[in-house]
Amino acid sequence: MTTDQPLSGVTVLDFTQVYMGPSCTQLLGDYGAEVIKVERPGVGDLSRSAFPDPAGPDNPIFLSINRNKRSLSVDTRSEEGKEVIRRLVRDADVVVSNFRAGVMERIGFGYEALRAINPRLIWASGTGFGDSGPYAHKGGQDVVAQAYSGVMARRESEDIPLSVYPTTLCDYTTGMHLMQGILLALLAREKTGEGQKVDVTMYDSMLHMQMQEACMQLNRGYEVNWAAMPLSGVFPTTDGAVCMVGAFKENPLRDISKALELDEDLSARPEFSTKESQAEHRHELREIFLARFATGSTRHWVERLESVDILCAPVRTLAEALEDEQTLVNRMVVEMQHPTAGRVRALDAPIHLSRTPASVRYVPPRLGEHNAAVLRDHGFTDDEVAALAGAGVLR
């Protein structure tokens, strides 16, 4: 094992907040990058106040996506604050933001302005819709992206009301695309010596997540709905629910009939004998499945389905999943000791590298905790740091 992580020596100026951007920059930090989190004095990242919590600005929402970062609380509205950022840009490899399109340009930190200072700089931006087009002015938000991209409209059946997917899949997916873009740009810079602009949008990320469905729609005019497949679904049991996926087998309905201990092989019925007829009579199949699953426990039916190699799982809560032995074996929970929040448990990085694994070098920072240290590390004298603090630029 080596202590030289993949991104050691890479300096990131992180203007991001809430979830999309910070999820990206935390992973960069997990694998060795020096991440300087630029925050507004007195306020900081919006996620510091997302939920009322005894820990205040160091609440679990903020702590979950801001380890391995150092906080620089600087007033970028002032000319002195802007100059601080411009000096840091000279040493930086990456600048990351997830403001609305045009905000970085308006505050003086657009791509062209910063590239003039450092041609090797990678300027990465995550927005809702991009910097042009009819929606460029709109703010990016997870639920809005679900609605605009078609994701929200697709559900198991038309009689189920439209609803919000309760996990922020749009923010997370876009954050991961933002990280990928940064890594690609770093690789390209090794060849060319020059930086570049990286743009990702929530809208594009959610469209891209639907690659299979989109290709079918574009070429056949047919909407694929994986949730409406006739041999799949979620079925209540006597003590919970089972998720079943009847796929990837020659005749899954025959095996499902066996697992459910039915009196007959349903695939032998004419109305269920082909994939097409199963789809046509999906409602009848579902009624049979619902009635049968309701007679036994979740564990019983999972064991029965697994005995004939039908994909299935108990429907777990997040709390149950976090306590699962598999979560422990996969080393997915990391523990940190925070100076104000105390003992903190959070999810670890999901990318497991054998020689250069993720590590926790810094616990999530308190607002402005590293003002002096960051500036001194990047060439500011003690007198300059003191003057900036005295003028209220650093708070």
Side-chain angles (χ1 to χ4, degrees):
M1 183 178 293
T2 175
T3 57
D4 187 19
Q5 291 181 290
L7 296 176
S8 294
V10 173
T11 298
V12 178
L13 282 183
D14 176 13
F15 288 85
T16 70
Q17 55 182 333
V18 188
Y19 188 29
M20 179 233 285
S23 66
C24 161
T25 53
Q26 175 168 276
L27 271 182
L28 295 174
D30 283 350
Y31 293 97
E34 178 198 1
V35 180
I36 300 169
K37 186 174 181 67
V38 180
E39 300 192 74
R40 292 178 295 168
V43 179
D45 186 328
L46 290 176
S47 66
R48 288 188 181 274
S49 56
F51 278 86
D53 188 82
D58 298 317
N59 65 79
I61 297 297
F62 175 81
L63 298 176
S64 69
I65 46 176
N66 284 289
R67 64 174 173 263
N68 287 325
K69 304 177 186 182
R70 296 196 290 171
S71 175
L72 174 66
S73 176
V74 56
D75 181 7
T76 57
R77 295 171 300 179
S78 68
E79 185 53 40
E80 296 88 346
K82 292 182 188 299
E83 183 57 27
V84 167
I85 298 301
R86 287 191 285 262
R87 285 181 61 177
L88 290 174
V89 165
R90 297 174 195 169
D91 297 335
D93 297 284
V94 184
V95 167
V96 193
S97 68
N98 64 330
F99 300 124
R100 289 192 189 207
V103 169
M104 286 290 278
E105 287 77 7
R106 287 198 295 273
I107 61 177
F109 303 142
Y111 173 59
E112 295 299 336
L114 299 189
R115 182 176 179 274
I117 299 171
N118 180 359
R120 287 175 54 82
L121 185 71
I122 292 159
W123 189 93
S125 170
T127 62
F129 300 92
D131 58 9
S132 61
Y135 306 141
H137 66 286
K138 291 181 176 290
Q141 198 276 336
D142 191 277
V143 176
V144 172
Q146 290 180 36
Y148 262 110
S149 64
V151 169
M152 186 179 290
R154 193 180 304 106
R155 53 208 189 278
E156 185 177 342
S157 64
E158 292 295 326
D159 58 352
I160 296 175
L162 293 168
S163 64
V164 172
Y165 186 75
T167 296
T168 52
L169 79 164
C170 308
D171 272 324
Y172 182 77
T173 302
T174 311
M176 295 306 97
H177 286 164
L178 186 58
M179 183 195 182
Q180 291 168 22
I182 291 167
L183 296 179
L184 290 170
L186 286 169
L187 286 172
R189 194 179 69 176
E190 289 297 305
K191 300 177 180 179
T192 67
E194 294 187 355
Q196 61 182 296
K197 184 178 181 180
V198 176
D199 277 317
V200 301
T201 77
M202 299 181 80
Y203 187 70
D204 295 349
S205 288
M206 294 317 297
L207 286 175
H208 196 256
M209 180 181 280
Q210 303 169 88
M211 285 185 286
Q212 297 173 95
E213 298 93 329
C215 195
M216 184 64 81
Q217 185 71 54
L218 290 168
N219 294 281
R220 298 289 182 268
Y222 175 76
E223 183 169 352
V224 174
N225 186 340
W226 302 111
M229 303 304 282
L231 305 184
S232 300
V234 177
F235 304 96
T237 65
T238 57
D239 60 355
V242 171
C243 174
M244 179 177 72
V245 181
F248 311 115
K249 302 193 73 178
E250 181 182 353
N251 186 353
L253 183 54
R254 178 185 60 205
D255 296 327
I256 291 171
S257 299
K258 180 180 178 181
L260 296 184
E261 303 168 317
L262 298 176
D263 294 334
E264 61 177 322
D265 174 4
L266 294 178
S267 68
R269 288 193 192 179
E271 68 268 33
F272 303 142
S273 60
T274 66
K275 290 182 180 180
E276 293 75 16
S277 63
Q278 289 168 10
E280 184 179 350
H281 296 276
R282 177 178 180 272
H283 179 75
E284 293 97 308
L285 275 172
R286 181 167 178 81
E287 290 302 312
I288 294 171
F289 295 158
L290 284 168
R292 190 61 182 144
F293 275 102
T295 66
S297 70
T298 297
R299 180 175 180 177
H300 171 76
W301 292 125
V302 167
E303 289 177 350
R304 290 291 305 165
L305 291 166
E306 288 184 341
S307 72
V308 295
D309 198 28
I310 291 292
L311 295 171
C312 63
V315 177
R316 296 273 183 81
T317 65
L318 175 59
E320 290 170 333
L322 291 173
E323 295 300 323
D324 193 291
E325 182 183 358
Q326 192 67 56
T327 303
L328 176 65
V329 170
N330 289 3
R331 307 187 308 279
M332 279 305 297
V333 175
V334 64
E335 186 171 314
M336 303 170 283
Q337 191 64 35
H338 192 273
T340 57
R343 175 176 175 260
V344 175
R345 299 173 72 209
L347 289 181
D348 206 347
I351 306 166
H352 306 291
L353 303 182
S354 63
R355 291 184 56 81
T356 54
S359 66
V360 178
R361 292 169 293 114
Y362 302 109
V363 299
R366 290 166 289 171
L367 181 59
E369 178 180 352
H370 303 100
N371 285 352
V374 165
L375 295 190
R376 290 183 184 121
D377 286 351
H378 290 271
F380 287 74
T381 67
D382 289 345
D383 288 344
E384 287 176 316
V385 172
L388 289 167
V393 177
L394 303 176
R395 282 180 280 149

